[in-house]
Amino acid sequence: MIKMTNIVKRFGEQTVLADITFETYTKEIFGLLGPSGAGKTTIINILTNQLSADEGTHSIDATPFETGLMLDEDGLYVRLNCLENLNIFAGIYGISHKKSMEALKRVGLESDAKKAVNTLSRGMRQRLAIARAILHEPKVLFLDEPTSGLDPVTARGIHKLILNLRENGATVFLTTHNMDEAVKICDRVALLHKGKIVEQGIPTEICHRHNAVKTVPDLEAVFIKMTGVGLE
Amino acid sequence: MRSAKAIFIKQLQDTFKNRLILIQLIIFPMMAFIMTELVAKVDETIPNSIFVTMFAAMFVGMTPLVMTNSAIAEDREHKSLRFLVMAGVKPYEYLLGIGGFIVLFCSFVSLVFGLIGGFTGVVFVKFVSVLVLGSVASTLLGAIIGILSKNQQAAAALGMPIAMLLAFAPMIANFNNTIEKIADIFYTQQVNVLVNDSSASVTRPFFIIVLNIIVLLILFTLAYKKKGLKS
């Protein structure tokens, strides 16, 4: 579905991605885990053709119209309300404006449809950005740190939504530095450190492989064992 | 074309919620109306349409330029443009949506100027047509500045002096021959000539305005090839 082979990316003298290789399967949630600066967003930017790689190849089995995107900067039109923001994209995708309201319902923002974006809380903006990403029911969904900075209740709501999207047939590629989140919702993960993938596979299997299961699988312990550093 | 239409609607909704841009749109016709009613119509030595033509020429030089460059620069700065491009919006569709709305809206304001000036018949049509042509040129120049600017602050820093130079050059040209000769090649000077003198020959000013539009289109293409629309 999504494939990266031997990707190398340099910014000047600095190599930010070194020999990145992974593959995701259809209808799975694939998590890319690592601390800030590990190269997670750079990988999304390369996959979505916003950046070009210096070496290697990558492919996605979906057209731009079949791809949804939520990035660290939401790019929402701050003076417009939630519904107007989604209607712009409904117009671009050529789908009914009814879908905008449906997408708002899915993220729990239907009662805030007429609120201007610049009056929303951070969590609400994140949910609106997700609503825009899922508006056209994409085959592939990129979510860059979807729960970063959110309270646990809102984060849980977003987890439910992501799991629901997978149930409906979407492939979700998400980045996070929250190991618990990865264990809870990801089918497979890749651990990224300083631009290199140090481990990848099914979260519980990775934890068992590295004897990092006490009461629950502990991916953070694996990460510290592999890299010598924590995530925060 | 559906993407251009969606962006046109976005620009329409956003313009009515953007106070700074609304002020830009309203201030020139409002000043023209107030000055015409309070000064020109009271003082018989002043032609009735003098303030209308003066503010209309300033409007054409400044408003479409500032509106376009700030819209593009804001979309780049807030990364909104990134999402449009990722959704498959082509650059020409984006620019058609933004520029199309601004030219149409400025055309509407040009009609208001024509009504305030009390023009009728052929003179009215000529007056409005010249303002619309001038708006097209200003919109193109605004798009060039928007593309070349990293953010809104840079767009304003570059756009405002250029807009003021173009808007006020025809006025300064009245007092200085050298400036008049230089200003002669700019579309704002020709707009000023045509709106101020309804009996003036149309051919030369019209030719210069069209030439300006062609040159700006070429410059726009070069700027776009160099910088594109990527954030």
Coordinates of all heavy atoms in Angstrom, one line a residue, chain B residues 109-143:
Chain B
V109 N -17.2 47.2 -7.7 CA -16.9 48.5 -7.0 C -16.7 49.6 -8.1 O -17.1 50.7 -8.0 CB -15.6 48.4 -6.2 CG1 -15.2 49.8 -5.6 CG2 -15.8 47.4 -5.0
S110 N -16.2 49.2 -9.3 CA -16.0 50.1 -10.4 C -17.4 50.6 -10.9 O -17.6 51.8 -11.2 CB -15.3 49.4 -11.6 OG -14.1 49.0 -11.2
L111 N -18.4 49.7 -10.9 CA -19.8 50.1 -11.2 C -20.3 51.2 -10.2 O -20.9 52.2 -10.6 CB -20.7 48.9 -11.2 CG -20.6 47.9 -12.3 CD1 -21.5 46.7 -12.0 CD2 -21.1 48.6 -13.6
V112 N -20.0 51.0 -8.9 CA -20.4 51.9 -7.9 C -19.7 53.3 -8.1 O -20.4 54.3 -8.1 CB -20.0 51.4 -6.5 CG1 -20.3 52.4 -5.4 CG2 -20.8 50.1 -6.2
F113 N -18.4 53.3 -8.5 CA -17.7 54.5 -8.8 C -18.5 55.2 -10.0 O -18.7 56.5 -9.9 CB -16.3 54.2 -9.2 CG -15.3 54.2 -8.1 CD1 -14.6 53.1 -7.8 CD2 -15.1 55.4 -7.4 CE1 -13.7 53.1 -6.7 CE2 -14.1 55.4 -6.3 CZ -13.4 54.2 -6.0
G114 N -18.8 54.5 -11.0 CA -19.5 55.0 -12.2 C -20.8 55.7 -11.8 O -21.2 56.8 -12.3
L115 N -21.5 55.0 -10.9 CA -22.8 55.6 -10.4 C -22.6 56.8 -9.6 O -23.4 57.8 -9.7 CB -23.6 54.5 -9.6 CG -24.0 53.3 -10.4 CD1 -24.6 52.2 -9.5 CD2 -25.1 53.7 -11.5
I116 N -21.6 56.8 -8.7 CA -21.4 58.0 -7.9 C -21.0 59.2 -8.8 O -21.4 60.3 -8.5 CB -20.2 57.7 -6.8 CG1 -20.6 56.6 -5.9 CG2 -19.8 59.0 -6.1 CD1 -19.5 56.1 -5.0
G117 N -20.2 58.9 -9.8 CA -19.7 59.9 -10.8 C -20.9 60.5 -11.7 O -20.7 61.5 -12.3
G118 N -22.0 59.7 -11.7 CA -23.1 60.2 -12.5 C -22.9 60.0 -14.0 O -23.5 60.7 -14.8
F119 N -22.0 59.1 -14.3 CA -21.8 58.8 -15.8 C -22.9 58.1 -16.4 O -23.6 57.3 -15.7 CB -20.5 58.0 -16.0 CG -19.2 58.7 -15.4 CD1 -18.5 58.1 -14.4 CD2 -18.8 59.9 -15.8 CE1 -17.4 58.7 -13.8 CE2 -17.7 60.6 -15.3 CZ -17.0 59.9 -14.3
T120 N -23.1 58.3 -17.7 CA -24.2 57.6 -18.3 C -23.8 57.1 -19.7 O -22.8 57.6 -20.2 CB -25.5 58.5 -18.5 OG1 -25.0 59.7 -19.1 CG2 -26.2 58.8 -17.2
G121 N -24.5 56.2 -20.3 CA -24.3 55.7 -21.7 C -22.9 55.2 -21.9 O -22.3 54.5 -21.1
V122 N -22.3 55.7 -23.1 CA -21.0 55.2 -23.5 C -19.9 55.6 -22.5 O -19.0 54.9 -22.3 CB -20.7 55.8 -24.9 CG1 -19.3 55.4 -25.4 CG2 -21.7 55.4 -25.9
V123 N -20.0 56.8 -22.0 CA -19.0 57.3 -21.0 C -19.0 56.3 -19.8 O -17.9 56.0 -19.3 CB -19.3 58.7 -20.5 CG1 -18.3 59.2 -19.5 CG2 -19.3 59.7 -21.7
F124 N -20.1 55.9 -19.3 CA -20.2 55.0 -18.2 C -19.5 53.7 -18.5 O -18.7 53.1 -17.8 CB -21.7 54.7 -17.8 CG -21.9 53.8 -16.7 CD1 -21.8 54.3 -15.4 CD2 -22.2 52.5 -16.9 CE1 -22.0 53.4 -14.3 CE2 -22.3 51.6 -15.8 CZ -22.3 52.0 -14.5
V125 N -19.9 53.1 -19.7 CA -19.3 51.8 -20.1 C -17.8 52.0 -20.2 O -17.0 51.1 -19.8 CB -19.9 51.4 -21.5 CG1 -19.2 50.1 -22.0 CG2 -21.4 51.1 -21.3
K126 N -17.3 53.1 -20.9 CA -15.9 53.3 -21.0 C -15.2 53.4 -19.7 O -14.1 52.7 -19.4 CB -15.6 54.5 -21.9 CG -14.2 54.8 -22.3 CD -14.1 56.1 -23.0 CE -12.8 56.8 -22.7 NZ -12.7 58.1 -23.3
F127 N -15.8 54.2 -18.8 CA -15.2 54.4 -17.4 C -15.0 53.0 -16.7 O -14.0 52.7 -16.2 CB -16.1 55.3 -16.7 CG -15.7 55.6 -15.2 CD1 -14.7 56.5 -14.9 CD2 -16.3 54.9 -14.2 CE1 -14.4 56.8 -13.6 CE2 -15.9 55.1 -12.9 CZ -15.0 56.1 -12.6
V128 N -16.1 52.3 -16.7 CA -16.1 51.0 -15.9 C -15.1 50.0 -16.6 O -14.3 49.3 -15.9 CB -17.5 50.4 -15.8 CG1 -17.4 49.0 -15.2 CG2 -18.4 51.3 -15.0
S129 N -15.1 50.0 -18.0 CA -14.2 49.0 -18.7 C -12.8 49.3 -18.4 O -11.9 48.4 -18.2 CB -14.4 49.1 -20.2 OG -15.8 49.0 -20.5
V130 N -12.4 50.6 -18.3 CA -11.0 51.0 -18.1 C -10.6 50.5 -16.6 O -9.5 50.0 -16.4 CB -10.8 52.5 -18.2 CG1 -9.5 53.0 -17.7 CG2 -11.0 52.9 -19.7
L131 N -11.5 50.8 -15.7 CA -11.2 50.3 -14.3 C -11.1 48.8 -14.2 O -10.2 48.3 -13.5 CB -12.3 50.8 -13.4 CG -12.5 52.3 -13.1 CD1 -13.5 52.6 -12.1 CD2 -11.1 53.0 -12.8
V132 N -11.9 48.1 -14.9 CA -11.8 46.6 -14.9 C -10.5 46.2 -15.5 O -9.8 45.3 -14.9 CB -13.0 46.0 -15.7 CG1 -12.8 44.5 -15.8 CG2 -14.3 46.3 -14.9
L133 N -10.1 46.8 -16.6 CA -8.8 46.4 -17.2 C -7.6 46.7 -16.3 O -6.7 45.9 -16.1 CB -8.6 47.2 -18.5 CG -9.0 46.6 -19.8 CD1 -8.6 47.5 -21.0 CD2 -8.3 45.2 -20.0
G134 N -7.7 47.9 -15.6 CA -6.7 48.3 -14.6 C -6.7 47.3 -13.5 O -5.6 46.9 -13.0
S135 N -7.8 46.8 -13.1 CA -7.9 45.8 -11.9 C -7.3 44.5 -12.3 O -6.6 43.9 -11.5 CB -9.4 45.6 -11.6 OG -10.0 46.7 -11.1
V136 N -7.4 44.1 -13.6 CA -6.8 42.9 -14.1 C -5.2 43.0 -13.9 O -4.6 42.1 -13.4 CB -7.2 42.6 -15.5 CG1 -6.3 41.4 -16.1 CG2 -8.6 42.2 -15.6
A137 N -4.7 44.2 -14.4 CA -3.3 44.4 -14.3 C -2.8 44.4 -12.8 O -1.8 43.8 -12.5 CB -2.9 45.7 -15.0
S138 N -3.5 45.1 -12.0 CA -3.2 45.1 -10.5 C -3.2 43.8 -9.9 O -2.4 43.4 -9.0 CB -4.1 46.1 -9.8 OG -3.6 47.4 -9.8
T139 N -4.2 43.0 -10.3 CA -4.4 41.6 -9.7 C -3.2 40.8 -10.1 O -2.6 40.0 -9.2 CB -5.7 41.0 -10.2 OG1 -6.8 41.8 -9.8 CG2 -5.9 39.6 -9.6
L140 N -2.8 40.9 -11.3 CA -1.6 40.1 -11.8 C -0.3 40.5 -11.0 O 0.4 39.7 -10.6 CB -1.3 40.4 -13.3 CG -2.2 39.5 -14.2 CD1 -2.0 40.0 -15.7 CD2 -1.7 38.0 -14.2
L141 N -0.2 41.9 -10.8 CA 1.0 42.4 -10.1 C 0.9 41.9 -8.6 O 2.0 41.5 -8.1 CB 1.0 43.9 -10.1 CG 2.3 44.6 -9.6 CD1 3.6 44.0 -10.2 CD2 2.2 46.1 -9.8
G142 N -0.3 41.9 -8.0 CA -0.4 41.4 -6.7 C -0.1 39.9 -6.6 O 0.5 39.4 -5.6
A143 N -0.4 39.1 -7.6 CA -0.1 37.7 -7.6 C 1.4 37.5 -7.7 O 1.9 36.6 -7.0 CB -0.8 37.0 -8.8

